[in-house]
Amino acid sequence: MKNMPKKVRSKKLSSRVDLTAMVSVSFLLIIFFMVVGELSKPNGANLNLPDQDGITCGLIGHIKPNRLYTILLDDNNKVITYSGILSYPLENPKEFEFGKKGIREEVLLKKKQIQEYMTSVGKPKSGIIVVIKPSSKSNFQNLVDILDEMTISKIDNYVIENEFSIEEAKLLASN
């Protein structure tokens, strides 16, 4: 056993791994997913709507009927409006077309009238409240158009409601 050759032992290499590249890739992935998450958020129109309980109006409600202006949207681009409550309207319902000389002119006129009235009764910060009621026969474009008119006319308080009173249903059926 003396002459046995010695076993050649191989040198052990360092088992240390350089993770610098892995850290860089991790940061790039984190940044990528943060950007993708931010860009994938849905975009929607900012609507200035009153609180859910803010529409309890009427003769006994907390909103004066003379601040209310209701816009009914019907088929064939018909727009019917009235002031106050239809059971006790402040004026007869009117029919308008979309556009600068139609509903926009009327909305601006009503806004001015109601603002003047509220200033005369000592509440200058209280303005018009528009209730938009699209019927089942109206199309989506009419709703978009009337919302554009609210933005153009700088109406801050409006609500979209889909429930019609009996009087409103009769009014739409008669026109």
Side-chain angles (χ1 to χ4, degrees):
M1 284 226 203
K2 275 183 172 184
N3 286 344
M4 282 192 128
K6 283 186 174 181
K7 281 188 175 178
V8 179
R9 298 213 179 228
S10 62
K11 263 188 169 179
K12 286 193 174 183
L13 297 174
S14 173
S15 62
R16 197 163 172 212
V17 178
D18 187 17
L19 295 177
T20 307
M22 187 63 103
V23 170
S24 298
V25 169
S26 299
F27 279 117
L28 285 173
L29 283 173
I30 290 170
I31 292 171
F32 171 76
F33 285 115
M34 286 173 60
V35 169
V36 167
E38 195 64 33
L39 292 177
S40 66
K41 288 183 181 175
N43 295 329
N46 184 15
L47 302 176
N48 295 321
L49 301 174
D51 296 334
Q52 285 297 95
D53 60 344
I55 280 303
T56 55
C57 62
L59 297 176
I60 58 171
H62 65 278
I63 296 175
K64 291 189 177 205
N66 45 7
R67 287 182 62 194
L68 290 177
Y69 185 65
T70 304
I71 299 174
L72 305 173
L73 303 176
D74 203 10
D75 60 344
N76 298 327
N77 298 329
K78 272 200 262 180
V79 180
I80 300 169
T81 67
Y82 64 90
S83 295
I85 301 170
L86 193 55
S87 328
Y88 307 99
L90 300 175
E91 59 185 37
N92 290 331
K94 299 177 187 174
E95 189 172 328
F96 293 97
E97 297 290 324
F98 284 99
K100 188 175 183 177
K101 292 290 181 190
I103 189 66
R104 185 180 312 163
E105 193 173 89
E106 178 67 14
V107 168
L108 288 170
L109 177 68
K110 282 294 169 195
K111 178 182 175 184
K112 182 180 175 189
Q113 288 174 348
I114 291 172
Q115 189 64 47
E116 287 172 356
Y117 171 77
M118 295 309 289
T119 303
S120 70
V121 296
K123 295 187 177 186
K125 292 189 179 185
S126 300
I128 187 171
I129 298 173
V130 178
V131 180
I132 302 167
K133 294 187 175 187
S135 72
S136 58
K137 297 177 188 175
S138 69
N139 58 34
F140 186 71
Q141 184 61 44
N142 289 348
L143 182 61
V144 170
D145 290 343
I146 203 68
L147 291 175
D148 286 343
E149 295 297 337
M150 295 298 109
T151 303
I152 292 168
S153 303
K154 293 184 173 95
I155 303 294
D156 294 328
N157 297 316
Y158 57 89
V159 66
I160 302 168
E161 186 179 332
N162 61 355
E163 294 179 21
F164 287 86
S165 67
I166 296 168
E167 293 91 4
E168 289 169 337
K170 287 179 184 176
L171 177 66
L172 288 177
S174 67
N175 285 332

